[in-house]
Every structure is written in C-alpha cells, then in structure tokens.
C-alpha cells in the first residue's frame, strides 16, 4: 500500500471519529437543545377595560408546569386534567419562593411575566400590555420560554398563559387561561389573542396557534 493510500485512509478514519464524536455529543444534548418556545400575543387596540373604559395595563403570566410539579399537593390546582384553574386563583396563589404560605410551589425559572413591575417572582419578559393603540403594536413576541423537550408530550406537562384582567373593583377576574396541554402537541411558536368582545366586561384570551396532529396534518 503506497503512502498516498495510507494518508487517505488516515484522514478518512480521523473524519469518521470526529463525526461519531459529534453525533454522540449531539445525542447527549438532545433533550436540552432547541427547547425554548416563542409566544406571540396579538392584542386589540384597547384591552383590560372592565374597570377603565379606555383600558389599563395588563399583567400576563406564562407558567411552565411539569409532571413532577403536580406531585406536590400545593400544586394540584395546576393539573391540566383537573378542575380548570382561573387567573383569579393563580393570582391569589402566585408563588413567591417562600414555602408554607398556601401558595403554588414552582421554581422561579418556570414563571415568566409581562408587567410594569420588574421585581416579581419569576423572569421578567417585558412591560405589561396596554393595547395596540398605546403600545403602538398589535403583536408582542416573547422568546426564550424554556421547556424541557424530554417532557414535551408527557401527561401533566403544560404551559399556561394567565391574563390578569381587572374587574370593576380592581380585583382579578376569574378568566380561564390559555392551556397548551401538552406543549409538544403544538408548534414551537405559540400564538394567542387578547381582546375585548361586545361590552367592556367581555374580555378574552384565546389560542390562535395551529395544533399539530400525530397524522402530520394541522388542525385549527
């Protein structure tokens, strides 16, 4: 075997080892790679109008829940297959990181929020919503919502989007949140709509993303 052939075989062998190593590393990192979700909120010109006719800023919470979180008795109300939770219940029991207060107990990294306040429990992702008219934009894009991809399809895995609509007395209304259950059944980019229907108290949040079926087809 001449020198050229030996050199070619050595290069090929080295390349093969690098490819094998790359594949092995990629496989080991697979559960953590590409796990961030993006939520796009579409908002009406004026929102959160029950207590103020011209609307007021709206606090929004995005909450990631895993099956192991539901093993904690304090978190049973977050079970997507249980009694539907409302924004009012979430607000009353919003976690603070201090156990024993009768509140939900979730890691800080699983709670994201939009608010004019930046010192709340969770990860701040921008100002509260003021409606497209005041914000100057109909769509708000929230990136970097981390969710463990190895649990995308597991029973008990869910992403909630809670809108803290205010009632006439200023308290949070019992609005049912948007529920992505389980997150793996939806496209990576998630879309919701927040608005006001007929009458200023008919505020709503609804899912507008397409759900990906196991057949490979999409359904509204």
């Amino acid at each position: 075997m001449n020198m050229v052939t030996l050199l070619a075989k050595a290069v090929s062998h080295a390349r093969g080892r690098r490819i094998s190593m790359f594949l092995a590393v990629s496989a080991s990192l697979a559960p953590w790679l590409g796990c961030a979700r993006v939520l796009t909120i579409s908002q009406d010109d004026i929102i959160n109008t029950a207590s103020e006719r011209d609307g007021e800023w709206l606090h929004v919470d995005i909450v990631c829940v895993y099956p192991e979180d539901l093993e904690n008795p304090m978190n049973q109300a977050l079970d997507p297959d249980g009694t539907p939770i409302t924004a009012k219940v979430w607000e009353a029991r919003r976690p603070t990181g201090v156990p024993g207060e009768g509140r939900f107990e979730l890691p800080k990294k699983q709670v994201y929020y939009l608010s004019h306040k930046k010192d709340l429990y969770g990860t701040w992702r921008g100002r509260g919503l003021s409606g497209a008219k005041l914000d100057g934009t109909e769509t708000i894009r929230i990136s970097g919502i981390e969710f463990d991809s190895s649990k995308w399809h597991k029973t008990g895995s869910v992403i909630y989007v809670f809108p803290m609509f205010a009632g006439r007395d200023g308290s949070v209304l019992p609005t049912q949140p948007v529920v992505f259950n389980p997150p793996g059944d939806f496209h990576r980019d998630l879309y919701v709509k927040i608005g006001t229907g007929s009458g200023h108290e008919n505020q709503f949040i609804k899912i507008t993303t397409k759900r990906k079926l196991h057949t490979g087809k999409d359904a509204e």
Side-chain angles (χ1 to χ4, degrees):
M1 187 178 295
N2 60 39
M3 184 60 68
V4 174
T5 303
L6 285 173
L7 182 60
K9 289 190 67 176
V11 170
S12 178
H13 180 66
R15 183 183 296 119
R17 289 186 62 186
R18 287 198 300 270
I19 293 174
S20 297
M21 185 177 296
F22 172 78
L23 292 175
V25 171
S26 298
S28 66
L29 293 177
W32 294 275
L33 292 175
C35 58
R37 294 277 169 146
V38 176
L39 174 70
T40 298
I41 298 176
S42 174
Q43 58 176 345
D44 280 350
D45 282 348
I46 301 175
I47 60 173
N48 205 11
T49 57
S51 60
E52 294 290 340
R53 187 175 183 84
D54 294 329
E56 56 183 312
W57 72 269
L58 177 68
H59 176 116
V60 178
D61 275 334
I62 304 156
V63 184
C64 301
V65 179
Y66 296 116
E68 57 267 30
D69 296 321
L70 302 179
E71 295 174 5
N72 185 335
M74 299 304 299
N75 295 331
Q76 283 303 301
L78 294 171
D79 187 341
D81 296 319
T83 302
I85 189 174
T86 66
K88 188 177 185 70
V89 172
W90 166 256
E91 191 271 340
R93 298 183 56 194
R94 195 181 191 279
T96 61
V98 180
E101 295 184 337
R103 293 177 174 271
F104 296 120
E105 297 179 2
L106 295 172
K108 189 175 184 178
K109 64 182 180 179
Q110 291 175 215
V111 180
Y112 302 84
Y113 66 93
L114 301 178
S115 174
H116 284 27
K117 302 175 182 179
K118 297 183 180 181
D119 58 350
L120 301 177
Y121 186 80
T123 301
W124 186 74
R125 275 289 184 259
R127 290 169 56 84
L129 305 181
S130 299
K133 187 175 181 181
L134 290 179
D135 284 340
T137 179
E138 178 186 347
T139 58
I140 307 295
R141 189 172 183 270
I142 305 111
S143 60
I145 301 171
E146 298 292 336
F147 201 97
D148 187 345
S149 60
S150 69
K151 300 173 185 177
W152 276 345
H153 294 280
K154 289 186 177 296
T155 300
S157 288
V158 59
I159 296 177
Y160 289 105
V161 183
F162 292 100
M164 305 302 188
F165 293 126
R168 290 187 181 279
D169 62 356
S171 64
V172 174
L173 295 175
T175 308
Q176 289 193 0
V178 154
V179 184
F180 294 103
N181 173 33
D185 280 2
F186 296 85
H187 291 296
R188 187 178 305 277
D189 288 350
L190 308 173
Y191 294 85
V192 300
K193 168 77 173 180
I194 291 178
T196 302
S198 58
H200 289 287
E201 292 189 10
N202 293 330
Q203 300 159 107
F204 67 86
I205 183 171
K206 65 180 181 179
I207 187 171
T208 56
T209 193
K210 289 183 177 181
R211 180 164 182 154
K212 190 171 185 179
L213 303 179
H214 294 297
T215 58
K217 299 180 180 179
D218 290 337
E220 298 292 343

